[in-house]
Amino acid sequence: MKIYLSPPHMSGKELDYIKEAFDSNYIAPLGPFVEKFEEAVKAYTKAPYALALCSATSGIHLALRTLGIKEKAKVAVSSFTFIASLSPILYQKATPVLIDSDNSWQMDLNALEDALKKERIKAVIVTHLYGQSAAIKEIAQLCQKYGAFLIEDAAESLGAVYEKQHTGTFGIFGVYSFNGNKILTTSGGGVLVGEDEKLMQLARKLSTQAKEEGFAWYEHTTYGYNYRLSNILAAIGVAQMEVLDKRIAKKRRIFSWYQEELTDIATFMPQIPNSQGNRWLTTALFESDPLKIYEALKKEGIESRPLWKPMHLQPLCKDFAFYGKGESDKLFAKGLCLPSGTQLERKDIQEICQIIKEQSC
Ligand SMILES: Cc1ncc(COP(=O)(O)O)c(C=O)c1O
């Protein structure tokens, strides 16, 4: 591939910080950079607590486990999302209830309320899709009304805000991903944020094999996981956090370049009023077959990707309840994620758009 969908973009400081970690010999999970990384995420998002982890998926799992979500519990989850929003529900042997999108592409409030009325839902996991905020204030209000915990899958939306408040900080828990194609990366990693000190302490304990404190030996009253981030990867994260504003500005510029080029042939993902997304990926619907565009780009060494195949269309999920009108089926059929790497320049976008235009005649 000559152009990837959203490749890593280093700030230049990463190797200095990694060297500092090597010089201190903290080549271990935990260490000063893990703390610095957690502090940087807290300072940026204004989340009260943060826990650095090996992935966002592990963060969603810890959120469910600490909230006591287990067998027979029902958890409402965005259907139009990546599988990792849902799979931790299955790790806990709980039951997903799939909620469709509306024409904002984000979780449909009416479908969610319908599910909350009809099912005994313990928690709601909402995805902030492709870096844009969902109608999170309204979703939080619904969760409060029906007594469900709110977990925000903000894996894609670090830096996105709703009424100036960061996505990930509206619910009892939120997660950000730092995997290889996100707006920032630690090569692999995630951060769980939360507002409840005790629950966050429990999540921290479970993330390091649930060792009891106050013993010389390893004492266990429950089981945990090996979910912590290494000091080396956290060093990358600290350097990356320093350029988050720059990366968001570039992602948003790339989005506007695509808009200018493709205005006649594409409908772009909207933004919920009073919110500002990070435009992690520029995504759009096309009148012509998006798979034809995908193939034409691939032939030129350019990576694109169909929109998420909704969970309610996945064979894995055929037995789970689904609430909605199938809006995300239509988005899946017509949409494409376009190359959105922050190293791209206007001429790259023009080259990509030229190929798209040729397929759309
Ligand atoms: C919506 C969504 N949720 C969860 C994840 C999982 O993040 P991670 O790869 O850090 O576990 C991703 C990305 O991979 C994602 O896009």
Side-chain angles (χ1 to χ4, degrees):
M1 285 288 168
K2 160 173 98 172
I3 295 179
Y4 285 99
L5 194 63
S6 181
H9 186 177
M10 296 295 102
S11 72
K13 289 272 197 66
E14 288 79 4
L15 280 177
D16 294 343
Y17 294 166
I18 289 173
K19 185 170 179 316
E20 210 177 307
F22 267 73
D23 290 346
S24 68
N25 206 31
Y26 269 111
I27 321 292
L30 308 185
F33 275 108
V34 175
E35 247 166 72
K36 280 188 196 164
F37 183 42
E38 289 173 351
E39 287 305 318
V41 172
K42 269 166 45 181
Y44 193 92
T45 61
K46 310 281 185 300
Y49 302 97
L51 174 63
L53 297 165
C54 60
S55 65
T57 312
S58 60
I60 298 173
H61 187 201
L62 287 171
L64 293 174
R65 172 84 193 275
T66 56
L67 291 171
I69 306 291
K70 52 190 177 197
E71 225 160 343
K72 299 204 172 79
K74 289 183 180 172
V75 180
V77 58
S78 303
S79 185
F80 194 37
T81 187
F82 179 56
I83 183 75
S85 311
L86 176 144
S87 38
I89 304 171
L90 304 179
Y91 304 168
Q92 286 302 101
K93 299 190 166 34
T95 306
V97 174
L98 307 170
I99 312 294
D100 201 8
S101 298
D102 58 22
N103 59 10
S104 73
W105 299 31
Q106 307 277 4
M107 187 180 270
D108 179 340
L109 297 174
N110 292 326
L112 176 62
E113 181 151 27
D114 199 16
L116 285 164
K117 270 185 198 157
K118 291 193 183 135
E119 315 252 4
R120 294 186 56 180
I121 289 184
K122 279 216 153 179
V124 174
I125 302 176
V126 58
T127 298
H128 296 285
L129 200 66
Y130 295 124
Q132 268 56 259
S133 175
I136 193 62
K137 205 165 148 189
E138 290 78 2
I139 291 170
Q141 280 161 357
L142 283 176
C143 287
Q144 203 166 23
K145 182 171 168 191
Y146 291 93
F149 296 116
L150 172 59
I151 300 167
E152 293 175 76
D153 182 345
E156 302 169 353
S157 71
L158 179 65
V161 290
Y162 184 99
E163 289 180 357
K164 301 210 167 99
Q165 184 178 338
H166 280 268
T167 58
T169 66
F170 287 80
I172 192 152
F173 286 112
V175 291
Y176 305 113
S177 173
F178 291 79
N179 83 11
N181 71 9
K182 291 299 179 288
I183 189 158
L184 301 183
T185 183
T186 55
S187 118
V191 174
L192 176 70
V193 292
E195 57 179 18
D196 185 298
E197 187 179 4
K198 283 216 170 77
L199 288 176
M200 286 299 287
Q201 276 168 354
L202 177 58
R204 192 172 285 274
K205 174 176 156 184
L206 294 176
S207 72
T208 45
Q209 307 288 14
K211 291 172 229 143
E212 294 301 326
E213 276 178 29
F215 296 88
W217 56 89
Y218 285 179
E219 179 82 6
H220 298 281
T221 58
T222 186
Y223 62 91
Y225 315 93
N226 183 4
Y227 276 172
R228 289 291 265 153
L229 187 71
S230 87
N231 195 48
I232 303 297
L233 298 185
I236 302 175
V238 172
Q240 287 274 283
M241 283 301 294
E242 291 173 7
V243 291
L244 179 52
D245 283 336
K246 257 168 94 175
R247 297 290 180 266
I248 294 172
K250 185 66 187 283
K251 290 273 190 191
R252 293 183 62 82
R253 205 170 322 132
I254 288 168
F255 172 77
S256 66
W257 289 339
Y258 276 120
Q259 262 190 324
E260 283 169 31
E261 293 288 333
L262 299 175
T263 168
D264 296 335
I265 56 169
T267 307
F268 291 88
M269 181 181 179
Q271 203 166 241
I272 297 259
N274 304 322
S275 76
Q276 175 158 297
N278 68 17
R279 293 288 179 195
W280 165 55
L281 293 182
T282 290
T283 51
L285 308 178
F286 294 91
E287 272 314 310
S288 51
D289 180 359
L291 285 179
K292 256 178 65 192
I293 299 173
Y294 165 89
E295 289 298 341
L297 290 170
K298 192 170 162 194
K299 227 171 99 203
E300 298 302 323
I302 298 169
E303 187 185 25
S304 63
R305 193 165 63 192
L307 299 186
W308 300 128
K309 179 173 178 179
M311 291 302 121
H312 67 272
L313 300 181
Q314 301 284 357
L316 170 72
C317 301
K318 64 180 177 2
D319 297 330
F320 303 145
F322 169 65
Y323 285 81
K325 298 192 189 115
E327 190 68 33
S328 57
D329 305 35
K330 294 183 224 158
L331 299 172
F332 171 59
K334 285 282 162 207
L336 207 59
C337 304
L338 301 174
S340 306
T342 41
Q343 289 107 327
L344 292 176
E345 291 307 333
R346 182 143 206 174
K347 65 173 174 27
D348 303 310
I349 305 298
Q350 280 165 339
E351 181 191 336
I352 294 163
C353 291
Q354 191 50 41
I355 299 166
I356 296 175
K357 284 174 194 165
E358 280 160 19
Q359 293 306 312
S360 305
C361 304

